């Protein structure tokens, strides 16, 4: 019986949502109605509890949802109720028959696992034969499952019994099976877990390690919201390393890094929710990212986790749009010119007007020198430019050449001012100068997503927007492996100090290990930075799921490539894969249009991704490799991976050797980004000559 003084606590496990998603829509509505009543009073006599025909764990019960479906619940004498599973009557009982739910005495983890009736004795060397029983217990392996673990002789055995293991145990065993030393696995697992001296389920539910797989429901509205988007588990369950970054109070700015699929944007959104809860009145925090599309995606996802009050304190806008808005609101007498053709003409006129043709430098040199040397160092006069650093620039300039180059910059400024234009880097620099003069804080908190894409001018502007350094002022998430816009920034040089306030996420939740490894191989031999000037080390990331290796196919003609893609999608349809779970991506808009029209002609419903996408609409999604960033699909086709397309010839055909190297790296990063959008499998197709990135 429940103690009289205990207030009921209702929670559900991550696997409950897994089972809920698999129910027919009509049954989901029945379950939702039941759960609302259950959360309100789980001890009510109207809740029909039935014992499971098993002697494994007397805390595991069945609850009657309707004539056909049953829920599986753990309840103890402390007034705790944990929903574990929901299914058809017979299947629910079969799932629960030998289930046990305990708080592990070594790790404090709430564990739901299957106790096998019999385990086959094997004579072959075990997969974990080098790990002693005592060390297995330290990792959290339940004693009842030790015989099962000892029966594994291959990784396939481990994968086969994954559903019978507690997720925390499976994760530790997975790391061991991948060759990671026991000491490292132990350090990692123990650093994320909180040990308890008793098997107290109520207390265990409050720890960050258990909140990764179990969630306490605080009210009916929250219950409804969770069941409204059951696929979006990121809204509810966070890994302890993610939760630590979300909840920690920093003395200043902070940075979180991690490979594709590690949940950086999830952390940023939960961080925004938490900080927004601290604000009142008209105060807002700024959530900014590099592109308008990503800002739109983030705005829609924040609606899934934030209350109306919290959303009212979050300003989501990409930085370029923020600059345009600020200039407009401040009555600034210039506009940002984004049309590259117009800017190219201004540069050509400036070069001709300064009589700089004799230097033999292409227009691309001046553009890059302006963006990478002049603007970051605010070297807006000839004397300042003569003294500024040019480290990392491939073309050397003596004093005479610098003076000649400056004449081009002077002519460029004159022509831009005459037209009432600014390029975006120049506009950011001028906005930062204005804000520094005002010496005020526009936003108490700023969240930056995809921080690796921001230029020095952008980061200096963010520092100016935040004002003087103060607690929790700037929170940056990023991954230099995904730097596709060639904007390399050193945070400390922009006035953003993160020393001692940095963390790295190591678990890939999206991509299979095979796809992740293939994508990383595209970047082999390239050194990546930590956004603060140092080489990135100890950033190893690994996926917890396995699948097939990415399929790489080259065809003689474009039509043969189309035939292959159509056949594969047809196979997926027959297997029950919704078309909206498939995305075809290409390097350029023109190529993307070719594939979209070709598949439309073959009878498929097709949608090109715009600012927002209703994933409920059936149809194949199409997106450029830039647009697909920040998204994920079950299946990704990287189509048209031809030589001179990946990498794009126009991008890498530059004279400056350093710029050429950076362009090549950004093109490789772009392919990495496209591949890592896939959850289950990736396909890379080409025709004619295949990209040398794939050879």
């Amino acid at each position: 019986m429940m103690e009289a003084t205990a207030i009921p606590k209702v929670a559900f496990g991550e696997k409950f949502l897994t089972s809920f998603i698999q129910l027919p829509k009509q049954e989901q509505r029945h379950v939702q109605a039941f759960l609302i009543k259950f959360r309100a009073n789980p001890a009510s006599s109207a809740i029909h509890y039935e014992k499971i025909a098993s002697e494994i764990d007397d805390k595991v019960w069945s609850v009657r949802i309707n004539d056909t479906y049953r829920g599986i619940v753990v309840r103890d004498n402390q007034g705790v109720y944990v929903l574990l599973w929901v299914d058809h009557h017979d299947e629910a009982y079969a799932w629960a028959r030998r289930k046990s739910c305990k708080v592990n005495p070594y790790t404090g983890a709430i564990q739901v696992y299957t106790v096998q009736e019999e385990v086959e004795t094997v004579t072959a060397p075990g997969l974990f034969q080098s790990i002693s029983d005592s060390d297995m217990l330290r990792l959290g392996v339940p004693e009842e499952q030790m015989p099962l673990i000892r029966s594994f002789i291959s990784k396939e055995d481990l994968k086969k019994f994954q559903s019978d293991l507690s997720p925390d145990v499976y994760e530790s065993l997975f790391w061991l099976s991948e060759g990671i030393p026991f000491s490292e696995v132990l350090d990692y697992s123990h650093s994320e877990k909180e040990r308890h001296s008793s098997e107290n389920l109520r207390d265990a539910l409050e720890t960050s390690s258990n909140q990764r797989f179990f969630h306490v429901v605080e009210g009916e509205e929250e219950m409804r919201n969770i069941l409204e988007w059951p696929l979006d588990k990121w809204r509810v369950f966070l890994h302890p390393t993610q939760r630590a970054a979300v909840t920690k109070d920093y003395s200043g700015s902070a940075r979180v890094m991690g490979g594709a699929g590690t949940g950086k944007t999830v952390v940023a959104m939960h961080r925004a929710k938490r900080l927004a809860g601290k604000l009142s009145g008209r105060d807002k925090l700024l959530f900014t990212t590099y592109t308008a599309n990503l800002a739109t995606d983030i705005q829609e996802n924040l609606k899934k986790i934030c209350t109306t009050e919290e959303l009212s304190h979050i300003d989501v806008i990409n930085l370029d749009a923020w600059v345009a808005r600020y200039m407009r609101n401040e009555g600034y007498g210039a506009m940002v010119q984004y049309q590259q053709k117009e800017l190219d003409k201004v540069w050509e006129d400036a070069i001709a007007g300064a009589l700089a043709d004799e230097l033999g430098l292409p227009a691309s040199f001046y553009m890059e020198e302006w963006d990478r040397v002049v603007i970051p160092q605010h070297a807006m006069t000839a004397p300042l430019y003569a003294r500024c650093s040019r480290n990392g620039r491939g073309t050397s300039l003596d004093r005479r050449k610098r003076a000649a180059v400056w004449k081009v910059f002077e002519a460029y400024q004159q022509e831009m001012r005459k037209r009432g234009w600014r390029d975006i880097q120049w506009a950011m620099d001028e906005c930062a100068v204005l804000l520094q003069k005002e010496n005020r804080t526009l936003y108490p908190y700023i969240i930056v997503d995809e921080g690796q894409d921001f230029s020095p001018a952008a980061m200096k502007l963010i520092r100016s927007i935040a004002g003087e350094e103060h607690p929790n002022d700037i929170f940056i998430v990023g991954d230099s492996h995904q730097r596709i816009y060639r904007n390399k920034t050193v945070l400390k040089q922009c006035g953003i100090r993160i020393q001692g306030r940095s963390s790295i996420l190591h678990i890939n939740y999206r991509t299979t290990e095979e796809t992740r490894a293939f994508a990383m191989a595209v970047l082999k031999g390239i050194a990546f930075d930590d956004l603060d000037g140092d080489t990135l080390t100890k950033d190893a990331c690994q996926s917890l799921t396995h699948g097939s290796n990415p399929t790489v196919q080259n065809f003689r003609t474009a039509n043969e490539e189309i035939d292959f893609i159509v056949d594969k999608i047809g196979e997926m349809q027959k297997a029950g894969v919704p078309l909206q779970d498939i995305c075809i991506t290409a390097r350029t808009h023109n190529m993307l249009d070719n594939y979209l029209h070709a598949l439309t002609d073959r009878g498929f419903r097709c949608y090109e991704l715009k600012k927002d996408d209703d994933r409920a609409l059936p149809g194949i999604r199409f997106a450029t490799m830039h647009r697909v960033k920040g998204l994920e699909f079950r299946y990704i086709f990287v189509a048209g991976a031809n030589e001179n397309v990946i990498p794009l010839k126009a991008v890498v055909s530059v004279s400056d050797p350093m710029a050429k190297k950076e362009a090549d790296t950004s093109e490789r990063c772009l392919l990495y980004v496209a591949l890592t959008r896939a959850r289950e499998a990736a396909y890379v197709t080409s025709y004619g000559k295949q990209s040398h990135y794939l050879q």
Side-chain angles (χ1 to χ4, degrees):
M1 295 293 292
M2 183 180 70
E3 292 182 354
T5 58
I7 299 173
K9 176 177 284 192
V10 177
F12 58 83
E14 182 264 343
K15 288 186 178 180
F16 180 84
L17 288 182
T18 300
S19 60
F20 177 79
I21 293 165
Q22 296 170 354
L23 299 181
K25 291 294 183 182
Q26 183 64 33
E27 298 303 333
Q28 286 185 11
R29 287 191 285 272
H30 290 158
V31 173
Q32 187 169 1
F34 167 81
L35 292 179
I36 298 302
K37 297 176 183 177
F38 182 82
R39 195 217 64 81
N41 186 6
S44 168
S45 59
I47 305 296
H48 300 286
Y49 287 94
E50 299 173 6
K51 279 299 297 176
I52 304 295
S54 169
E55 298 179 357
I56 298 298
D57 193 331
D58 60 7
K59 298 190 301 299
V60 180
W61 294 75
S62 163
V63 290
R64 186 176 184 274
I65 293 172
N66 57 24
D67 290 341
T68 307
Y69 284 83
R70 298 291 185 271
I72 304 301
V73 179
V74 164
R75 66 171 184 172
D76 67 4
N77 59 7
Q78 300 291 317
V80 176
Y81 301 82
V82 184
L83 295 149
L84 301 181
W85 195 258
V86 61
D87 212 331
H88 189 278
H89 178 283
D90 293 345
E91 285 76 7
Y93 272 77
W95 182 88
R97 191 172 67 86
R98 297 193 63 80
K99 284 292 187 297
S100 179
C101 177
K102 295 181 180 179
V103 178
N104 190 284
Y106 288 87
T107 65
I110 300 172
Q111 299 179 323
V112 178
Y113 55 91
T114 303
V115 179
Q116 277 66 30
E117 293 183 86
E118 294 182 6
V119 175
E120 181 181 354
T121 302
V122 296
T123 57
L127 181 61
F128 305 110
Q129 63 177 351
S130 63
I131 311 299
S132 67
D133 285 358
S134 60
D135 282 342
M136 282 293 188
L137 292 174
R138 293 169 68 195
L139 285 177
V141 174
E143 289 190 55
E144 300 98 317
Q145 286 196 312
M146 198 70 74
L148 173 67
I149 304 303
R150 292 305 182 193
S151 73
F152 297 164
I153 61 174
S154 67
K155 293 180 182 180
E156 288 68 30
D157 291 336
L158 175 61
K159 184 177 180 181
K160 176 183 175 182
F161 285 94
Q162 179 178 357
S163 61
D164 290 337
L165 303 174
S166 177
D168 59 300
V169 170
Y170 176 80
E171 183 176 303
S172 293
L173 296 179
F174 179 90
W175 297 132
L176 290 174
S177 72
E178 294 294 322
I180 298 176
F182 170 80
S183 59
E184 292 185 24
V185 175
L186 184 66
D187 287 344
Y188 182 70
S189 63
H190 277 200
S191 68
E192 312 301 348
K193 297 171 182 175
E194 297 145 279
R195 180 171 176 169
H196 294 271
S197 59
S198 66
E199 297 183 16
N200 189 321
L201 193 59
R202 177 176 286 268
D203 291 343
L205 283 168
E206 299 301 320
T207 66
S208 63
S209 57
N210 283 317
Q211 288 166 3
R212 179 183 176 189
F213 301 114
F214 298 90
H215 181 76
V216 176
V217 183
E218 299 296 345
E220 179 178 330
E221 182 181 1
E222 184 188 29
M223 174 72 84
R224 292 184 185 276
N225 287 339
I226 290 169
L227 297 177
E228 185 71 22
W229 294 289
L231 281 170
D232 297 331
K233 295 181 182 179
W234 58 266
R235 298 179 303 115
V236 182
F237 304 103
L238 294 177
H239 188 279
T241 53
Q242 294 175 321
R243 192 174 296 278
V246 168
T247 59
K248 186 173 182 179
D249 282 318
Y250 299 95
S251 59
S253 302
R255 179 212 63 198
V256 175
M257 297 196 71
T262 55
K264 299 179 298 298
T265 301
V266 168
V267 167
M269 289 190 290
H270 279 272
R271 178 78 175 171
K273 171 182 171 64
R274 174 178 176 267
L275 294 178
K278 294 186 172 189
L279 301 177
S280 60
R282 302 181 67 180
D283 286 343
K284 288 193 174 188
L285 68 81
L286 174 64
F287 195 127
T288 190
T289 189
Y290 189 75
T291 67
N293 286 327
L294 280 176
T296 299
D297 295 337
I298 287 166
Q299 178 73 65
E300 290 304 308
N301 281 322
L302 281 171
K303 292 177 182 177
K304 297 178 180 180
I305 64 172
C306 293
T307 64
T308 302
E309 175 67 17
E310 289 165 344
L311 282 173
S312 71
H313 294 294
I314 304 176
D315 189 4
V316 184
I317 185 171
N318 66 300
L319 195 61
D320 285 19
W322 188 93
V323 168
R325 187 178 70 184
Y326 178 76
M327 292 171 68
R328 184 170 59 251
N329 292 343
E330 295 296 313
Y332 200 71
M335 61 170 283
V336 179
Q337 176 57 260
Y338 288 102
Q339 296 298 320
Q340 193 57 49
K341 287 184 179 179
E342 297 291 346
L343 293 173
D344 288 346
K345 189 176 186 309
V346 175
W347 280 111
E348 290 168 5
D349 291 345
I351 293 169
L355 302 177
D357 291 341
E358 62 188 49
L359 292 175
L361 298 171
S364 60
F365 166 83
Y366 294 99
M367 296 180 197
E368 295 226 0
E369 186 82 355
W370 176 259
D371 285 347
R372 295 168 180 264
V373 177
V374 176
I375 293 299
Q377 299 177 68
H378 194 65
M380 307 303 287
T381 64
L384 288 175
Y385 177 63
R387 295 194 300 270
C388 67
S389 169
R390 297 187 67 254
N391 287 340
R393 298 290 287 148
T395 302
S396 61
L397 299 177
D398 58 24
R399 183 179 300 179
R400 182 188 66 81
K401 287 183 178 179
R402 280 210 196 195
V405 166
W406 177 256
K407 291 181 180 179
V408 175
F409 295 146
E410 192 171 46
Y412 173 73
Q413 291 180 71
Q414 290 173 351
E415 184 62 28
M416 290 288 280
R417 287 194 173 101
K418 184 170 68 175
R419 300 188 185 204
W421 292 349
R422 298 291 188 271
D423 60 63
I424 185 59
Q425 300 301 323
W426 187 2
M428 287 181 178
D429 181 64
E430 290 196 337
C431 286
V433 171
L434 286 174
L435 286 166
Q436 288 163 11
K437 289 179 180 178
E438 293 179 6
N439 192 28
R440 64 189 177 98
T441 297
L442 296 187
Y443 297 90
Y445 312 125
I446 300 178
I447 309 290
V448 180
D449 189 35
E450 302 288 1
Q452 76 282 345
D453 289 332
F454 285 71
S455 66
M459 283 301 184
K460 288 182 178 180
L461 173 59
I462 288 169
R463 175 72 274 169
S464 299
I465 295 171
E468 296 292 331
E469 186 177 69
H470 57 272
N472 300 320
D473 54 359
I474 303 172
F475 185 83
I476 301 168
V477 300
D479 174 20
S480 54
H481 301 92
Q482 297 185 64
R483 184 180 287 123
I484 61 177
Y485 296 104
R486 299 176 57 198
N487 289 323
K488 192 171 182 178
T489 301
V490 179
L491 293 175
K492 56 177 168 277
Q493 294 177 359
C494 301
I496 301 175
R497 299 188 301 125
I498 59 169
Q499 288 76 12
R501 298 187 292 269
S502 300
S503 58
I504 299 178
L505 304 176
H506 294 281
I507 300 177
N508 185 318
Y509 298 97
R510 178 199 303 139
T511 309
T512 66
E513 179 60 17
E514 287 73 16
T515 299
R516 186 206 65 80
F518 182 88
M520 284 300 296
V522 174
L523 306 178
K524 186 177 180 180
I526 301 174
F528 290 92
D529 63 278
D530 66 351
L531 309 189
D532 206 30
D534 295 322
T535 300
L536 190 59
T537 58
K538 297 182 179 179
D539 65 321
C541 165
Q542 195 143 10
S543 303
L544 290 179
T545 58
H546 278 289
S548 60
N549 289 317
T551 298
V552 181
Q553 291 276 2
N554 185 53
F555 300 91
R556 187 173 58 86
T557 67
N559 285 336
E560 291 177 359
E561 181 195 28
I562 293 292
D563 289 341
F564 173 82
I565 294 173
V566 168
D567 289 344
K568 284 297 177 185
I569 293 177
E571 292 173 9
M572 293 174 188
Q573 279 186 295
K574 290 179 181 178
V577 176
L579 288 179
Q580 58 266 39
D581 288 347
I582 303 168
C583 180
I584 295 176
T585 183
R587 177 62 182 85
T588 67
H589 281 284
N590 287 339
M591 293 198 74
L592 189 71
D593 286 343
N594 293 338
Y595 293 103
L596 191 153
H597 292 145
L599 268 78
T600 299
D601 291 343
R602 299 292 187 99
F604 290 102
R605 182 174 291 181
C606 303
Y607 293 98
E608 182 177 357
L609 289 176
K610 301 297 183 181
K611 280 192 175 182
D612 51 5
D613 175 42
D614 183 357
R615 291 292 285 272
L617 292 174
I620 304 169
R621 271 36 180 187
F622 289 75
T624 63
M625 291 167 68
H626 283 86
R627 173 63 185 97
V628 82
K629 187 176 186 182
L631 304 178
E632 62 179 59
F633 296 86
R634 286 177 66 183
Y635 299 96
I636 283 284
F637 286 84
V638 179
N642 309 336
E643 186 68 4
N644 295 326
V645 176
I646 300 177
L648 194 62
K649 185 176 181 180
V651 171
V652 296
S653 297
V654 293
S655 58
D656 187 294
M658 291 298 295
K660 189 178 186 69
K661 182 178 179 181
E662 289 177 356
D664 180 76
T665 296
S666 70
E667 290 289 293
R668 288 181 180 274
C669 289
L670 189 58
L671 180 55
Y672 168 86
V673 166
L675 288 166
T676 53
R677 302 309 96 191
R679 293 202 305 268
E680 295 185 23
Y683 297 84
V684 187
T685 61
S686 58
Y687 59 90
K689 188 175 182 181
Q690 185 184 57
S691 167
H692 66 270
Y693 286 176
L694 304 170
Q695 298 169 5

